[in-house]
Amino acid sequence: MNYILFDNPLRSHLLPLTFVRPVADLRVGILTIREKWEIYLKSKTSTLTEDYLSEKYPLIKGDINILINGSVCPTKDLVKQIQKLKPNDALVYGEYLIAINLHSDAIENINNSDENIVDIATKSVHIKINELWDIFSKNGEAIQEDFELITKGRKSSVLSKTNTIINPENVFVEDGVKAECCIINASAGPVYIGKNCEIMEGAMIRGPFALCNNSVVKMGAKIYGSTTIGPFCKVGGEINNSVFIGYSNKAHDGFIGNSVIGEWCNIGADTNNSNLKNNYAEVKLWSYPEKKFVHTGLTFCGLILGDHSKCGINTMFNTGTVVGISANLFGHGFQRNFVASFSWGGSTGITTFEVEKAIDIAEKAYERRDMVLSEVDKNILRAIYKRTREYRYL
């Protein structure tokens, strides 16, 4: 059985985060959606995505291909239904295609109707990521599910007695963790601490919370659930109900709440985002497919920060702000609620951040972690630069 995770037509609703990755590589809970599926399926997956991403995320075809919607998080029941699909059977949830069994010749035409396809309805879909705000809104549920999935039958490492742990049975610690003089409260949800993480003195953490491999929580940090800090991150200050996908830093004081931070971002000292309007009105958020601000149905909604974007010290983000890929923001006053990819400047004016200069900075960021920015990744940034040109003139 060959499993392929596909991007459905709604992937554009998850821009700018899906400019640099397939939907399945978004992190919600402890794991990315792909990592969840590969654990459940006990199999590696490949990807059907945009052409410019396909070299980094290649499609692998087999004799029997099960294509699975990359925006759907797996459950045991859903996996059982998918594995029972016969050729040309499609598992659907309302109007959404969840999975389909296709011959290799038909894979690229997955979104075209075929009279030979047999639809089978399911009610097993629990978490589906349709919109940007779903990532943090559904993060608590996803942490709980992932916690049960990856810790079942395993024994947690033990933290130092200098720490105060409330509900220790709801805390799981991987090997290599360093933590002293911290307060961890798992009463409202589980707390997962990944391999080789460090939680410095005085940090206060409430579940549901996930700290993924090789990440650091700095001294005196205040972190509320439902928050995920992806791998190789460094965070401090105050964080509430947010997801850091990975490789990003918010190392200093300041508040980030009800937000999603992409990879390779750096948030300057004392940066704050608003997550609640003064009049308690519903928050609107920029939509790439609609090319306008759309209703979220939420009163709490903060910042979406695209990969490779950075902001200077004391940056202020208004409620419901979307920043694209490789933006560099600084200066006084609130930033615009929508900042296009490859923007340079701030509230007093924005110019274009030329792509080769952005690539040069990305290379330096990789070097700081003893990594190399590949030519494939450089070409992805160049492709995004071309695709996002129209938004820099709105």
Side-chain angles (χ1 to χ4, degrees), residues 339-358:
V339 179
S341 297
F342 299 94
S343 293
W344 179 284
S347 56
T348 57
I350 288 179
T351 59
T352 297
F353 188 13
E354 296 299 334
V355 64
E356 296 306 320
K357 292 181 179 179

Side-chain angles (χ1 to χ4, degrees), residues 371-389:
M371 297 173 65
V372 176
L373 183 70
S374 69
E375 284 301 318
V376 172
D377 285 313
K378 292 177 186 179
N379 288 333
I380 288 173
L381 289 174
R382 292 181 181 114
I384 296 167
Y385 182 81
K386 293 177 181 178
R387 284 172 170 248
T388 57
R389 181 177 286 113

Side-chain angles (χ1 to χ4, degrees), residues 7 24 40 54 70 77 96 105 127 198 245 350:
D7 285 348
Y40 271 99
S54 61
D77 288 341
Y96 296 109
D105 295 340
I127 298 176
E198 181 177 7
I245 294 176
I350 288 179

